[in-house]
Amino acid sequence: MIKAAPLIHSRTLYCDFNPRFLARPRNMTDSQAFQIRKKILEATKSVDSLQGFRWVVFREDSLCVAGLVCFVEQLASQCQIEEADKKFFLDSKERPTYAFIGAVMADENVGIDAGIPELSYQQLWDGYTKAMRDVWERQVVDTELTDDEPIETENKSLPDYEKHVIHSKDVYEASEMIDRNLFYKYLQLALKGNNVSYCSNITNFLDARQSSYTAITTTDNIRRRLEEIPAPVVISSSSQKKTSISTRPKESYQKPANQKPIWMYGGAGAIILSAFILWLIMKK
């Protein structure tokens, strides 16, 4: 059996994104929340051009985070919804509402061979609307602390997909079916304690290039462009130190070829002075 607590990062009608989340597990520390939010913000990059869903899995300390980034209206199109819940589609500025909607599973709540949690569209929608109904129209919104609840699991046989390892990152071609199957694959790995992370449906080249996730799905064109980038060269600090010493120009002074020794100038002065004194004596 697995227990999970809802995690939601979303706007409301009047309030922008709460840096402490709209809803998060009661046992999540502020430090964990800070790191988890950084990872989720990365997954929401270029969201205005997002088509479909972006599935996300990663670990932070003893917590496994799993869910999706999407426009709320897009998620609703996959679910049975109440007519009144359509109000969540737009905020007060007529901006389409997007969100990260997911769950957090602590290692202590994951049983041995518990299977893979089933995070369905309907389940995620129900969790989102449950958190939103009481706070949607408030002018000030605090973080709701959520509790662990049992979640359905199943033993799935997941297919393998062709991957390209590019600069230590697993890169797959994106599609709705592949994205979701890989989500469950990496969720299973993360629940077993593996330090993996996964973000699907990245369609911006810079986002794919700069992604800190260990596995991503993207377009074939972006994958080819990633392969053309030379691998970064890592230089150790000791090598940098040696290089800086060996390449530092040596300062030296070289006497011009036609410059006479200083003593020669001193001797000539003495001769001139002696001659001048002798002339004065003879004049007297």
Side-chain angles (χ1 to χ4, degrees), residues 42-50 54 203-204 207:
E42 181 182 334
T44 61
K45 284 184 176 180
S46 305
V47 72
D48 289 338
S49 60
L50 177 63
R54 182 170 291 160
T203 54
N204 179 283
D207 293 345

Side-chain angles (χ1 to χ4, degrees), residues 88-261:
F88 301 138
F89 295 172
L90 299 172
D91 68 8
S92 61
K93 299 179 181 179
E94 298 295 310
R95 295 177 296 184
T97 309
Y98 70 89
F100 171 85
I101 308 168
V104 178
M105 291 146 278
D107 287 347
E108 62 192 43
N109 292 326
V110 178
I112 300 175
D113 298 327
I116 306 175
E118 177 59 34
L119 295 177
S120 67
Y121 293 123
Q122 188 69 53
Q123 181 181 356
L124 293 170
W125 172 259
D126 291 343
Y128 180 78
T129 55
K130 179 181 178 182
M132 277 294 189
R133 288 190 181 113
D134 289 339
V135 302
W136 176 251
E137 297 181 3
R138 291 184 186 175
Q139 298 287 343
V140 177
V141 178
D142 294 325
T143 301
E144 177 191 353
L145 299 180
T146 60
D147 296 310
D148 294 313
E149 298 178 359
I151 188 171
E152 294 292 330
T153 63
E154 57 180 306
N155 295 313
K156 292 186 177 184
S157 178
L158 299 171
D160 291 325
Y161 296 101
E162 180 183 7
K163 73 177 178 182
H164 303 262
V165 181
I166 305 175
H167 308 325
S168 303
K169 190 190 308 295
D170 293 344
V171 180
Y172 302 84
E173 186 170 355
S175 79
E176 184 176 355
M177 180 183 68
I178 292 175
D179 290 357
R180 195 166 185 194
N181 282 337
L182 287 173
F183 166 75
Y184 285 117
K185 171 185 176 179
Y186 282 95
L187 175 55
Q188 185 178 45
L189 290 171
L191 287 173
K192 291 181 178 179
N194 295 284
N195 188 26
V196 297
S197 56
Y198 169 75
C199 185
S200 73
N201 196 15
I202 299 178
T203 54
N204 179 283
F205 172 70
L206 286 179
D207 293 345
R209 180 178 181 178
Q210 297 171 358
S211 175
S212 67
Y213 286 84
T214 61
I216 63 172
T217 71
T218 187
T219 65
D220 188 60
N221 179 55
I222 290 178
R223 189 263 302 170
R224 292 177 185 275
R225 291 177 65 187
L226 291 174
E227 289 179 325
E228 293 172 357
I229 300 173
V233 178
V234 179
I235 302 176
S236 65
S237 58
S238 59
S239 298
Q240 289 178 332
K241 185 175 180 180
K242 290 179 181 178
T243 302
S244 63
I245 293 174
S246 61
T247 58
R248 182 182 300 163
K250 294 182 179 180
E251 296 182 359
S252 61
Y253 172 77
Q254 184 174 5
K255 182 178 71 176
N258 59 350
Q259 181 175 331
K260 296 179 180 180

Side-chain angles (χ1 to χ4, degrees), residues 30-50:
D30 287 343
S31 175
Q32 290 171 331
F34 177 79
Q35 295 300 329
I36 289 170
R37 182 173 178 269
K38 283 173 59 177
K39 206 73 172 176
I40 289 175
L41 290 180
E42 181 182 334
T44 61
K45 284 184 176 180
S46 305
V47 72
D48 289 338
S49 60
L50 177 63

